[in-house]
Amino acid sequence: MNQFKGITIISDMDGTLLNDKKKIGAENREAISYFIENGGNFSIASGRIFSRLQMYHKVIQVTLPVITMNGMMIQDFSTGSVLYSEQLDPSAKEYTRAIFEKYPHLGLEIYTHDTVHFIHRNRHIDKHISDEGFHLDVCTLDEVNGEWRKVLFGCDENLLETIEREFAYMKEKVHFTKSDAHFYEILAKGANKGSALWKLIEQTGIDPFRVIAVGDNINDLEFIKAAGAGIAVGNACEEVKAHSRFVLSQNNNQAPMRELIGKLENGEIVI
């Protein structure tokens, strides 16, 4: 059967496809397999580096390249080969140093091609390390080797707005996004999951009007807006919900993908 032929679902990982224990529930896995078997395309758009996505390679099927680092790269899920990439403007290094010198207690990670360099750890960064099982590459800002792709700050939520306000001038050359309650990221100007989605559409020829984007946080907002249909999970932030056509169950209910695919099959969501 090809009842889902021409439909593409692209899902965020953390807080959406993954539960809070960083697992993909069996019901979600089975629903995605059923969707693909019946003609659908499925892929992932994540803030993670490729190696931290590939750890799920044996438990999740994808039929298209995946979006990594919040839109900074598009990569083949099997091989990791890079189909599209961005790098940060050189000014991002100055901006990162300025923020870190003002707030030295911030957790700080620098992302190059497929390596996360840990500049300073705090409780938010330690949780990130634990959740994703990072290999620790500890160094100073001056010791980071490779082209900078992304910067991540880890801090208490009430400090994020302060940083964004104080360093607003930086938005002329870089893009800021919030990927978690405690994570604030610097990306290339114009780079986000939404812009990467359009690059993926150009590369693969999928129908942009029949793309469903599923997400939960502010870093998913452009992605939700760019898709033919934006869908939020129940634990999504209010801004993402406000721009979504439909709100599913929460990620910890283990089955938002099963719910979405069921609604497509029953005609409750038409795309």
PDB file of all heavy atoms in Angstrom, residues 26 43 71 78 110 144 149 152 195 214 247 260 271:
ATOM      1  N   ALA A  26       8.830   2.284  21.747  1.00  0.00           N
ATOM      2  CA  ALA A  26       8.550   1.236  20.767  1.00  0.00           C
ATOM      3  C   ALA A  26       7.370   1.604  19.872  1.00  0.00           C
ATOM      4  O   ALA A  26       7.377   1.318  18.664  1.00  0.00           O
ATOM      5  CB  ALA A  26       8.280  -0.082  21.487  1.00  0.00           C
ATOM      6  N   SER A  43      12.490  11.715   8.287  1.00  0.00           N
ATOM      7  CA  SER A  43      13.845  12.143   8.609  1.00  0.00           C
ATOM      8  C   SER A  43      13.849  12.919   9.927  1.00  0.00           C
ATOM      9  O   SER A  43      12.817  13.028  10.602  1.00  0.00           O
ATOM     10  CB  SER A  43      14.433  12.983   7.475  1.00  0.00           C
ATOM     11  OG  SER A  43      15.830  13.169   7.673  1.00  0.00           O
ATOM     12  N   GLY A  71      20.517  23.097  11.773  1.00  0.00           N
ATOM     13  CA  GLY A  71      20.472  23.634  10.418  1.00  0.00           C
ATOM     14  C   GLY A  71      21.820  24.014   9.847  1.00  0.00           C
ATOM     15  O   GLY A  71      21.906  24.448   8.699  1.00  0.00           O
ATOM     16  N   SER A  78      23.458   7.344   6.979  1.00  0.00           N
ATOM     17  CA  SER A  78      24.236   6.104   7.014  1.00  0.00           C
ATOM     18  C   SER A  78      25.736   6.352   7.068  1.00  0.00           C
ATOM     19  O   SER A  78      26.466   5.685   7.801  1.00  0.00           O
ATOM     20  CB  SER A  78      23.914   5.240   5.786  1.00  0.00           C
ATOM     21  OG  SER A  78      22.563   4.851   5.790  1.00  0.00           O
ATOM     22  N   ILE A 110      31.925  24.539  22.138  1.00  0.00           N
ATOM     23  CA  ILE A 110      32.169  24.977  20.766  1.00  0.00           C
ATOM     24  C   ILE A 110      32.085  23.750  19.859  1.00  0.00           C
ATOM     25  O   ILE A 110      32.747  22.739  20.115  1.00  0.00           O
ATOM     26  CB  ILE A 110      33.559  25.630  20.599  1.00  0.00           C
ATOM     27  CG1 ILE A 110      33.768  26.748  21.629  1.00  0.00           C
ATOM     28  CG2 ILE A 110      33.716  26.149  19.176  1.00  0.00           C
ATOM     29  CD1 ILE A 110      32.829  27.912  21.503  1.00  0.00           C
ATOM     30  N   VAL A 144      40.725  25.587  20.332  1.00  0.00           N
ATOM     31  CA  VAL A 144      39.728  24.930  19.474  1.00  0.00           C
ATOM     32  C   VAL A 144      40.271  24.828  18.050  1.00  0.00           C
ATOM     33  O   VAL A 144      40.631  25.827  17.438  1.00  0.00           O
ATOM     34  CB  VAL A 144      38.393  25.701  19.477  1.00  0.00           C
ATOM     35  CG1 VAL A 144      37.424  25.073  18.473  1.00  0.00           C
ATOM     36  CG2 VAL A 144      37.779  25.716  20.868  1.00  0.00           C
ATOM     37  N   ARG A 149      31.222  25.756  13.931  1.00  0.00           N
ATOM     38  CA  ARG A 149      29.887  25.563  13.365  1.00  0.00           C
ATOM     39  C   ARG A 149      28.786  26.098  14.287  1.00  0.00           C
ATOM     40  O   ARG A 149      27.775  26.610  13.818  1.00  0.00           O
ATOM     41  CB  ARG A 149      29.625  24.077  13.129  1.00  0.00           C
ATOM     42  CG  ARG A 149      30.679  23.371  12.306  1.00  0.00           C
ATOM     43  CD  ARG A 149      30.486  23.597  10.833  1.00  0.00           C
ATOM     44  NE  ARG A 149      31.457  22.844  10.052  1.00  0.00           N
ATOM     45  CZ  ARG A 149      31.520  22.827   8.738  1.00  0.00           C
ATOM     46  NH1 ARG A 149      30.653  23.551   8.043  1.00  0.00           N
ATOM     47  NH2 ARG A 149      32.429  22.138   8.107  1.00  0.00           N
ATOM     48  N   LEU A 152      27.398  26.855  22.033  1.00  0.00           N
ATOM     49  CA  LEU A 152      26.311  26.614  22.981  1.00  0.00           C
ATOM     50  C   LEU A 152      26.717  27.087  24.361  1.00  0.00           C
ATOM     51  O   LEU A 152      27.769  26.714  24.871  1.00  0.00           O
ATOM     52  CB  LEU A 152      25.947  25.124  23.016  1.00  0.00           C
ATOM     53  CG  LEU A 152      24.769  24.724  23.910  1.00  0.00           C
ATOM     54  CD1 LEU A 152      24.030  23.526  23.297  1.00  0.00           C
ATOM     55  CD2 LEU A 152      25.219  24.363  25.332  1.00  0.00           C
ATOM     56  N   SER A 195      15.596  27.047   7.260  1.00  0.00           N
ATOM     57  CA  SER A 195      16.389  27.281   6.046  1.00  0.00           C
ATOM     58  C   SER A 195      17.025  25.977   5.560  1.00  0.00           C
ATOM     59  O   SER A 195      17.119  25.727   4.361  1.00  0.00           O
ATOM     60  CB  SER A 195      17.464  28.343   6.302  1.00  0.00           C
ATOM     61  OG  SER A 195      18.371  27.929   7.305  1.00  0.00           O
ATOM     62  N   VAL A 214       7.771  18.458  12.959  1.00  0.00           N
ATOM     63  CA  VAL A 214       7.321  18.241  14.333  1.00  0.00           C
ATOM     64  C   VAL A 214       8.410  18.714  15.295  1.00  0.00           C
ATOM     65  O   VAL A 214       9.571  18.330  15.168  1.00  0.00           O
ATOM     66  CB  VAL A 214       7.016  16.746  14.594  1.00  0.00           C
ATOM     67  CG1 VAL A 214       6.295  16.579  15.934  1.00  0.00           C
ATOM     68  CG2 VAL A 214       6.176  16.151  13.459  1.00  0.00           C
ATOM     69  N   VAL A 247      -1.559  20.028  17.838  1.00  0.00           N
ATOM     70  CA  VAL A 247      -0.717  19.717  18.991  1.00  0.00           C
ATOM     71  C   VAL A 247      -0.946  18.262  19.380  1.00  0.00           C
ATOM     72  O   VAL A 247      -2.076  17.849  19.662  1.00  0.00           O
ATOM     73  CB  VAL A 247      -1.026  20.644  20.184  1.00  0.00           C
ATOM     74  CG1 VAL A 247      -0.146  20.257  21.387  1.00  0.00           C
ATOM     75  CG2 VAL A 247      -0.789  22.108  19.809  1.00  0.00           C
ATOM     76  N   LEU A 260       0.348  11.019  15.383  1.00  0.00           N
ATOM     77  CA  LEU A 260       0.376  11.790  14.143  1.00  0.00           C
ATOM     78  C   LEU A 260       0.065  10.907  12.941  1.00  0.00           C
ATOM     79  O   LEU A 260      -0.781  11.246  12.100  1.00  0.00           O
ATOM     80  CB  LEU A 260       1.746  12.446  13.975  1.00  0.00           C
ATOM     81  CG  LEU A 260       2.046  13.092  12.622  1.00  0.00           C
ATOM     82  CD1 LEU A 260       1.030  14.179  12.295  1.00  0.00           C
ATOM     83  CD2 LEU A 260       3.462  13.660  12.601  1.00  0.00           C
ATOM     84  N   ILE A 271      -2.955  16.707   4.327  1.00  0.00           N
ATOM     85  CA  ILE A 271      -1.855  17.509   3.791  1.00  0.00           C
ATOM     86  C   ILE A 271      -1.599  17.118   2.331  1.00  0.00           C
ATOM     87  O   ILE A 271      -1.800  15.974   1.960  1.00  0.00           O
ATOM     88  CB  ILE A 271      -0.570  17.323   4.636  1.00  0.00           C
ATOM     89  CG1 ILE A 271       0.538  18.247   4.110  1.00  0.00           C
ATOM     90  CG2 ILE A 271      -0.116  15.884   4.676  1.00  0.00           C
ATOM     91  CD1 ILE A 271       1.713  18.368   5.058  1.00  0.00           C
TER      92      ILE A 271
END
